[in-house]
Amino acid sequence: MDNVWKDIARKIHKLHQQKEILPLHEPSFIGNEKAYVMDCIEAGWVSSVGKYVDRFEEKLAEYTGVERAIAVMNGTAALHVALKLVGVKPADEVLVPSLTFVATANAVTYCGAEPHFVDVSRETLGMDPYKLDAHLQEISFMKGQNCVNKVTGNIIRAVVPMHTFGHSVDMDPLIDVCSRYNITVVEDAAESLGSFYKGKHTGNFGKVAALSFNGNKIITTGGGGAILTNDYDLADYAKHITTTAKLPHAWDYVHDDIGYNYRMPNINAALGCAQLEQIDEYLHQKRILTKKYEQIFREYPGIKLFKENNDSHSNYWLQAILLDQERYDFSKVLKELHEEKIMARPIWKPLHLLQPFADCQKSDLSITIQLQKEIINLPSSPYLGGDNSGQA
């Protein structure tokens, strides 16, 4: 096995011979980033108002096809506000995948609600609508317009499908299930800017959606996120409460709601505007990288590169391989890759196994448990697919 992974490591390093260490995902600054940020500094508008915030929101809405985008300080803040916008209240339950980054569940708890963990599909790595349907048939009943958990008596208010590594959840059957149970869909699109489901950009399928622009995402604002919605009233309310719910006035401080200091600073939005101008190039490089990884792994039995399915056009944010557990020792593979300066990582620990969420409601999570033992993410920086990279 050692020779196999040394050989694989050599081929991965050949993708970019100028890098001794290959991190999981680095940002790329190839456009107007410096010019726009310097413009902010020279104008003095670096805080939470300014022309770049407005421009970033407009361009983001245009790119994703939604009516409105509201820029905020990070993806977790975006998801927190998104859940509040759809009426998630204390003691409610929110259906989330156990196989996701912890922010998905943390945002639920910020609302005083409880995560209710459900399983994912091997075909998409995202929430499985058919297992969700079976689970709801077993554990819930309708009381008026509300879906109620038979065990806890709590209302199941919302569902948060997360588009894992940029691969879209199978949204049509999920929306059908949620419609029958009157459960509101809030998309966690943190990883899926530039991803499409049946020709429509992710973030257009729920009542509201959340994006992330962390330093390791498809585009970055340093730290940042956005709320997407096609509902103008929700958008206006989101913009209001993310700016401390302050009523417009030349000098007086009147706040008419519980607000949050969540707005994205202008200097971060300036970075985002420049990054968004380059997104097509980043996505092009990602797809080239997918082909290069596919070429590397096709000759090694027991290693499968995860690919988009027929209904999805993925941004391939993070490349993922699935290991045959009978052929390869998962922990040893990670250790050997790191020894070869390839900063691979396992998928997240399933959230139901973390101490803060140990007592939360959950469905059968057998696929989640299996995938945790199989998935490894590989270096996925855009430059690895670029013209300056070597051939494997």
Side-chain angles (χ1 to χ4, degrees):
M1 187 182 74
D2 293 351
N3 290 336
V4 167
W5 289 98
K6 285 185 182 299
D7 190 44
I8 289 171
R10 177 186 62 79
K11 292 178 179 180
I12 292 175
H13 270 295
K14 201 173 179 181
L15 293 175
H16 200 288
Q17 295 173 331
Q18 296 177 357
K19 292 275 188 177
E20 180 183 357
I21 299 175
L22 292 182
L24 189 68
H25 197 288
E26 283 186 303
S28 178
F29 303 113
I30 58 176
N32 290 312
E33 289 88 354
K34 186 174 182 180
Y36 292 171
V37 169
M38 287 304 300
D39 183 40
C40 281
I41 292 171
E42 291 169 358
W45 291 96
V46 298
S47 196
S48 59
V49 294
K51 66 180 182 181
Y52 287 106
V53 174
D54 295 338
R55 184 191 301 180
F56 187 52
E57 291 178 339
E58 291 168 4
K59 292 298 183 182
L60 195 59
E62 179 182 335
Y63 180 80
T64 58
V66 300
E67 294 296 330
R68 296 281 298 280
I70 300 89
V72 294
M73 61 190 295
N74 56 54
T76 309
L79 193 54
H80 175 205
V81 172
L83 291 166
K84 289 189 67 67
L85 293 176
V86 302
V88 173
K89 301 177 179 63
D92 284 348
E93 292 177 20
V94 177
L95 299 160
V96 300
S98 180
L99 201 66
T100 183
F101 183 57
V102 69
T104 311
N106 280 345
V108 174
T109 67
Y110 299 164
C111 298
E114 182 171 298
H116 184 142
F117 297 113
V118 295
D119 211 1
V120 297
S121 161
R122 292 192 71 91
E123 283 67 46
T124 66
L125 304 183
M127 191 177 288
D128 186 326
Y130 304 102
K131 290 192 74 171
L132 175 63
D133 191 14
H135 180 60
L136 289 171
Q137 288 182 43
E138 180 182 351
I139 63 96
S140 73
F141 67 96
M142 295 302 297
K143 184 176 182 181
Q145 294 297 307
N146 294 321
C147 179
V148 179
N149 186 327
K150 292 178 184 177
V151 177
T152 64
N154 295 331
I155 295 171
I156 301 175
R157 186 76 63 185
V159 61
V160 186
M162 196 276 287
H163 304 297
T164 308
F165 309 146
H167 302 290
S168 174
V169 172
D170 193 0
M171 291 303 297
D172 282 352
L174 181 70
I175 290 169
D176 177 65
V177 171
C178 294
S179 295
R180 287 189 278 113
Y181 290 92
N182 198 30
I183 298 172
T184 304
V185 177
V186 175
E187 287 179 77
D188 185 345
E191 302 174 1
S192 66
L193 182 65
S195 295
F196 295 78
Y197 174 75
K198 295 186 177 180
K200 184 182 289 188
H201 197 286
T202 55
N204 277 276
F205 299 91
K207 185 75 171 174
V208 66
L211 292 176
S212 171
F213 309 116
N214 189 30
N216 65 355
K217 293 300 191 294
I218 289 288
I219 69 168
T220 184
T221 57
I227 300 158
L228 304 180
T229 184
N230 289 305
D231 186 316
Y232 273 87
D233 290 337
L234 280 185
D236 287 342
Y237 185 55
K239 198 155 189 173
H240 182 57
I241 64 173
T242 56
T243 50
T244 71
K246 182 181 181 297
L247 296 176
H249 195 278
W251 62 81
D252 206 4
Y253 287 87
V254 178
H255 304 262
D256 65 349
D257 203 340
I258 299 298
Y260 304 89
N261 191 12
Y262 279 178
R263 288 287 281 153
M264 178 183 287
N266 195 48
I267 196 167
N268 295 83
L271 191 62
C273 288
Q275 288 271 288
L276 197 54
E277 291 171 356
Q278 302 297 325
I279 189 170
D280 289 341
E281 177 62 21
Y282 298 153
L283 295 172
H284 175 63
Q285 292 175 351
K286 291 279 193 177
R287 297 190 79 80
I288 293 175
L289 179 59
T290 301
K291 292 178 180 178
K292 291 180 176 181
Y293 274 135
E294 191 172 23
Q295 181 182 346
I296 290 173
F297 290 111
R298 66 167 52 125
E299 62 184 274
Y300 298 100
I303 307 173
K304 177 186 176 184
L305 180 69
F306 191 84
K307 300 285 294 295
E308 65 194 5
N309 62 35
N310 291 334
D311 289 330
S312 173
H313 183 87
S314 178
N315 65 11
Y316 284 106
W317 170 57
L318 285 186
Q319 301 287 340
I321 54 173
L322 292 88
L323 299 183
D324 182 338
Q325 296 298 290
E326 294 184 1
R327 286 179 178 268
Y328 301 105
D329 182 312
F330 188 84
S331 296
K332 191 172 182 181
V333 168
L334 281 167
K335 181 174 182 292
E336 290 180 3
L337 287 172
H338 276 251
E339 287 174 351
E340 296 294 330
K341 311 296 186 184
I342 294 172
M343 303 294 103
R345 75 169 194 197
I347 200 169
W348 317 278
K349 183 181 289 294
L351 300 189
H352 73 282
L353 299 178
L354 300 180
Q355 188 276 328
F357 306 116
D359 296 327
C360 292
Q361 294 285 299
K362 58 182 179 291
S363 71
D364 168 70
L365 297 170
S366 54
I367 301 301
T368 293
I369 296 299
Q370 289 174 22
L371 289 173
Q372 179 206 8
K373 301 172 184 177
E374 298 176 21
I375 294 177
I376 289 178
N377 290 123
L378 296 175
S380 302
S381 301
Y383 63 75
L384 293 174
D387 294 336
N388 61 337
S389 57
Q391 294 296 320

